[in-house]
Amino acid sequence: MVDHRLSEEHEALRQSVEAFARKEVAPVIGEYYERAEFPYPLVRGMANMGLFGLPVAEEQGGMGGDYFALCLALEELARVDSSVAITLEAGVSLGVMPISRFGNEQQKRQWLPRLASGEVLGAFGLTEPGGGSDAGATRTTAVLDGDEWVVNGSKSFITNSGTDITALVTVTAVTGEKPDGGKEISTILVPAGTPGFTVAPKYSKVGWNASDTHELSFDNCRVPAENLLGERGRGYAQFLSILTEGRVAIAALGVGLAQGCVDECLRYAGEREAFGHRIGGYQAIQFKLADMELRTHTARLAYYDAASRMLRGESYRKQAAAAKLASSNAAMDNARDATQIFGGYGFMNETPVGRFYRDAKILEIGEGTSEVQRMLIARELGLPSA
């Protein structure tokens, strides 16, 4: 029997995050957004709820939940604001999970309790200025010199990399050459404040303005040899695994934004009058809202399916790519329709839909562009790669 009802534990979590988003995030996030300021009090609130440790085992300092619990939390946060949601998403899927999945026992003991508690944040340094979607074109290098790695290179668009509570960045780097002549890519843990590790000033962004994003540079940055994360030369495979998980989380975030558009438009359509009637009574508005609800519902089912396959230990690469593609499309289309329903008010930054419109576009780019998702789906269908 197919049953999409949430368990009691998942529903209780969903309700608690929904209440936090409505009562704590919604009243203040607009001001943080306009100031492009990182919302430390809200991050502390999420930390106090245990959200950064949701999919981490209790013995590692986490809540002992599952990845689907993280997705539910992200959806509820993004219904109100995506900056707060992406801070949690990146903090967990890109900060915590690489160490949880691939770290040795010493690395887990050193980093996971603080990361899972939300006391500190971790970041994942993958994208490079000239690389974009071609992660295999990594140019950052890490050369083993005695008992230290010497890291040189740069990373761009790295979330949670420059906050006052950022503790480390996991960096992909070329550490040698494979027997076939290809690049040997490994992942290295670089603690914040390491000499030679520089965080550039924050970007001026179109959206996600209350989240933290920087370019990073490494100039003869030395870290201990034991900061190698996982097996040498397996960095490419590791980050592909992390990105597949992350696509499910980003899909949940996109569904949250799409649902937020529906929520706001339903409220507005019941209040706004035009030509003597509330606009919710006009079929043109009703049809838009019906389409918005359909997109949201379909995208939610897609990420539920991907998450359930992940938790059962089944292959879910195709489903994760499909969920990410469906949710980013739904978010972008719903944000556009919501702005149209709100009219001039939808173009104002003080309205949630104004923020939704600005935040939606990055979902078609970050953690794998929509074009990359289509490539992945095609490969999973057995079609040849170019």
Side-chain angles (χ1 to χ4, degrees), residues 280-342:
Y282 292 116
Q283 199 172 65
I285 301 298
Q286 293 177 354
F287 281 9
K288 276 190 183 296
L289 274 162
D291 286 342
M292 292 166 68
E293 176 66 15
L294 175 61
R295 295 180 196 122
T296 306
H297 178 68
T298 304
R300 181 179 291 112
L301 292 178
Y303 100 69
Y304 273 30
D305 178 50
S308 67
R309 289 171 181 268
M310 177 201 303
L311 298 183
R312 291 196 301 267
E314 300 173 2
S315 174
Y316 66 99
R317 287 189 296 271
K318 180 177 69 176
Q319 289 76 16
K324 204 271 185 183
L325 180 60
S327 70
S328 57
N329 286 344
M332 194 67 198
D333 290 343
N334 279 16
R336 183 173 54 250
D337 281 351
T339 303
Q340 195 70 19
I341 289 173
F342 268 70

Side-chain angles (χ1 to χ4, degrees), residues 169-345:
V169 178
T170 301
V171 177
T172 56
V174 178
T175 52
E177 186 176 290
K178 296 191 295 187
D180 63 3
K183 295 177 179 179
E184 175 194 84
I185 298 177
S186 305
T187 46
I188 311 290
L189 300 175
V190 181
T194 301
F197 173 23
T198 302
V199 179
K202 64 183 179 182
Y203 291 102
S204 174
K205 296 176 294 186
V206 171
W208 285 359
N209 279 357
S211 71
D212 178 79
T213 319
H214 298 265
E215 184 170 343
L216 312 177
S217 63
F218 305 90
D219 183 10
N220 290 325
C221 178
R222 290 178 172 268
V223 297
E226 56 264 30
N227 282 27
L228 175 72
L229 182 65
E231 183 182 345
R232 178 171 176 170
R234 293 285 298 167
Y236 193 81
Q238 289 173 193
F239 73 66
L240 287 180
S241 173
I242 292 298
L243 289 180
T244 301
E245 286 186 348
R247 288 184 185 111
V248 184
I250 287 291
L253 191 156
V255 169
L257 190 155
Q259 183 65 60
C261 291
V262 175
D263 297 342
E264 290 297 319
C265 287
L266 283 173
R267 178 189 60 78
Y268 188 70
E271 298 172 353
R272 176 79 162 94
E273 291 190 1
F275 305 105
H277 300 278
R278 298 218 172 140
I279 64 172
Y282 292 116
Q283 199 172 65
I285 301 298
Q286 293 177 354
F287 281 9
K288 276 190 183 296
L289 274 162
D291 286 342
M292 292 166 68
E293 176 66 15
L294 175 61
R295 295 180 196 122
T296 306
H297 178 68
T298 304
R300 181 179 291 112
L301 292 178
Y303 100 69
Y304 273 30
D305 178 50
S308 67
R309 289 171 181 268
M310 177 201 303
L311 298 183
R312 291 196 301 267
E314 300 173 2
S315 174
Y316 66 99
R317 287 189 296 271
K318 180 177 69 176
Q319 289 76 16
K324 204 271 185 183
L325 180 60
S327 70
S328 57
N329 286 344
M332 194 67 198
D333 290 343
N334 279 16
R336 183 173 54 250
D337 281 351
T339 303
Q340 195 70 19
I341 289 173
F342 268 70
Y345 291 108

Side-chain angles (χ1 to χ4, degrees), residues 5-138:
R5 290 175 297 180
L6 300 181
S7 68
E8 290 184 7
E9 293 81 5
H10 282 144
E11 177 60 20
L13 170 69
R14 189 203 66 76
Q15 289 183 13
S16 66
V17 178
E18 178 186 27
F20 172 78
R22 296 296 176 192
K23 295 177 182 177
E24 305 297 331
V25 178
V28 300
I29 193 59
E31 295 178 7
Y32 282 107
Y33 198 96
E34 285 307 300
R35 296 195 301 263
E37 180 181 338
F38 191 74
Y40 289 100
L42 299 179
V43 174
R44 282 196 297 273
M46 292 191 292
N48 292 337
M49 295 175 67
L51 300 188
F52 287 95
L54 278 175
V56 181
E58 292 182 16
E59 58 268 27
Q60 296 175 350
M63 299 294 289
D66 55 36
Y67 208 84
F68 184 54
L70 171 66
C71 292
L72 292 174
L74 291 171
E75 180 181 345
E76 291 303 323
L77 289 169
R79 285 177 69 177
V80 171
D81 178 71
S82 291
S83 293
V84 172
I86 194 58
T87 298
L88 175 64
E89 192 279 334
V92 179
S93 71
L94 301 179
V96 174
M97 299 314 292
I99 299 174
S100 179
R101 298 289 191 220
F102 307 113
N104 58 39
E105 290 307 311
Q106 190 276 330
Q107 291 167 339
K108 290 178 181 179
R109 286 194 301 270
Q110 179 181 0
W111 294 108
L112 284 183
R114 297 176 69 205
L115 290 168
S117 71
E119 175 189 349
V120 298
L121 295 175
F124 192 71
L126 171 63
T127 304
E128 299 193 354
S133 297
D134 187 5
T138 299

